[in-house]
Amino acid sequence: KCRTGPLDIVFVIDSSRSVRPFEFEIMRRFMMDIIGSLDVGPNATRVGVIQYSSQVQNIFSLKTFFTREDMEKAINGIIPLAQGTMTGLAIQYAMNVAFSTQEGARPLHKRIPRIAIIVTDGRPQDRVTEVATQARNAGIEIYAVGVQRADMNSLRAMASPPLEEHVFLVESFELIQQFAKQFQDKLCGLDMCMEQEHGCQHSCVSTPVSFYCECSPGYRLNVDGKTCSPIDACADGRHGCQHICVSTRGSYSCHCHMGYYLNQDRRSCSMIDYCSFGNHSCQHECVSIPHGHYCRCRSGFTLQPDSKSCRATDLCNGVDHGCEFKCVSMEGSYRCMCPEGQQLQADGKACSKCGSGHVDLVLVIDGSKSVRPQNFELVKQFVNRIVDLLEVSPQGTRVGLVQYSSRVRTEFPLNKYHSADEIKKAVMEVEYMEKGTMTGLALKHMVEHSFSELEGARPLSHNIPRIGLVFTDGRSQDDISEWARRAKESGIVMFAVGVGKAVEEELRAIASEPVEQHFSYSADFTTMTHLVENFKLNICPEEGKGVTEIRSPCECEALVQFQTNTVAILQSLTEKNILWARSLAQMTARLEDLEKQLAHKK
């Protein structure tokens, strides 16, 4: 009636540089000899192996293998670490990881003995007393096996009581085989299920000093510890079914509501795409719903009575919209627009010049490692020159600042400061981040956070222009296209400023239309001053150098002006050509006279 298990056994093997190769081979045989005497299996004894030196390496955990053949193959494949001897670190790993339920250890309430067999040949290079005490208090029985130079005091500090049964010190690795036989004898105990009437309804599991009852799959043990009841697998709410959980004996299956199908994970559901059947006949777009589909028209079109075809809707031509500059038809509505550099007023129709209006401006500056500290100071000065252009106040222009590298940080939101002096002081106190260049992540942060009402952006209904200025000196390490597009689609006017190794393709992707007016470039940080003027000219054209008048090229007056200018240029070129021809004729005549004089002298 002598049998082993069930047990949870973890070998903790010293593979430091002091263990020579042939000695490590003996340790392999030692482990395989012990495993050979065990009744291994998922419901019997489970075995794990870790090796350690200056670090800890998991060879296989308690849940990895359940046959001796697989375990022996893994043990034969171990490559020694050959470094220091951090025994305390290995005990810590065994306690926190190797004997965790996630790694295959049975729950403590099942009373399966947890046994750690530590084999070492030297003195630990870290502390073992405290961590070994913690491991023993956590229910781990520790056997400490020392070979040759092992320190007896350390072995006694690690082992479980009584020490005479848990501490072994042998003179050489060859003699470790004797311990293997002694350890096998300690694991051999009576089958308590056969020694007495256990009364278990399903199955009895023997332990070294007692037994406990287990139920077959699909059943749970009742409070009497002996009888079993069927498990309603859906009742505990952990089934993970998105829609419907159907319980079967000891198990469950997931089902979906009508109009949905079960995905490959057998838990989540996806709506049936009725549009994919190809029989919807929608002129523009087909929209699938749980019990069928419906047709939808693109923006600016109206669905007709047949619920399939669409017809254009141009409200700008059908109503007296009153827009000062331009009317843009939308689905079921319209909105007024103003030229670049002008703002839509509160009446939603009239336009005002930039100087008399206000904006919400967020500056997104590159703080990556390539910028360098001295250049970052120039960037901050560049930001403050832009602030000098603006009329900052709670009711006027608001300014926010974001810095990015491998991560994104809001230096101050739009509602933080209410004067240009406050902003400029805060800018000079910004600390350089360094690291990578995640421009796409910065654009995402700007769209989702910086222009939110929570951080001070005024509601869209107030018609306050939202302007984003991105400053960078190199290629982005992530994709920028999606969030550059989203920024512009959300109504943010995007300016892109590049310095040094900035990529023109990325700057153009960030910039709003017309692109040429919304991106700038400078060869180095010391020549960025002209970029401030470019920004001023584009955001407030009438305040730049000279007077910039923005007019529609299709207006009659504009066409006449274009024609007049073109004719003037052509006339100027013609006059220059006439003068050039006259000069050429005079030079030719002069050369002929010189030739005649030379011929006469000869």
Side-chain angles (χ1 to χ4, degrees), residues 61 87 98 145 172 217 240 263 334 365 371 436 452 514 557 575:
S61 62
T87 310
V145 181
S172 67
N263 293 322
Y334 69 89
I365 60 174
V371 174
S452 66
E557 293 179 4
E575 292 173 357

Side-chain angles (χ1 to χ4, degrees), residues 510-575:
I510 294 172
S512 292
E513 296 288 343
V515 173
E516 299 301 329
Q517 294 183 17
H518 291 83
F519 95 94
S520 304
Y521 175 81
S522 179
D524 60 71
F525 289 85
T526 60
T527 60
M528 294 190 301
T529 306
H530 73 280
L531 301 183
V532 177
E533 291 300 320
N534 289 349
F535 182 73
K536 178 181 179 181
L537 182 63
N538 285 311
I539 191 174
C540 298
E542 74 284 1
E543 295 180 11
K545 294 181 179 179
V547 178
T548 302
E549 182 181 7
I550 299 177
R551 304 176 64 182
S552 171
C554 296
E555 291 178 357
C556 182
E557 293 179 4
L559 290 173
V560 172
Q561 184 66 45
F562 173 76
Q563 184 178 11
T564 302
N565 293 341
T566 303
V567 170
I569 293 171
L570 290 173
Q571 288 177 346
S572 175
L573 291 173
T574 301
E575 292 173 357

Side-chain angles (χ1 to χ4, degrees), residues 391-402:
E391 296 180 7
V392 178
S393 69
Q395 290 74 36
T397 292
R398 299 182 182 180
V399 179
L401 182 64
V402 172

Side-chain angles (χ1 to χ4, degrees), residues 103-121:
E103 291 299 309
R106 267 74 63 96
L108 290 172
H109 69 82
K110 289 195 172 184
R111 294 173 290 181
I112 305 294
R114 297 182 174 183
I115 297 174
I117 303 175
I118 303 173
V119 182
T120 180
D121 78 327

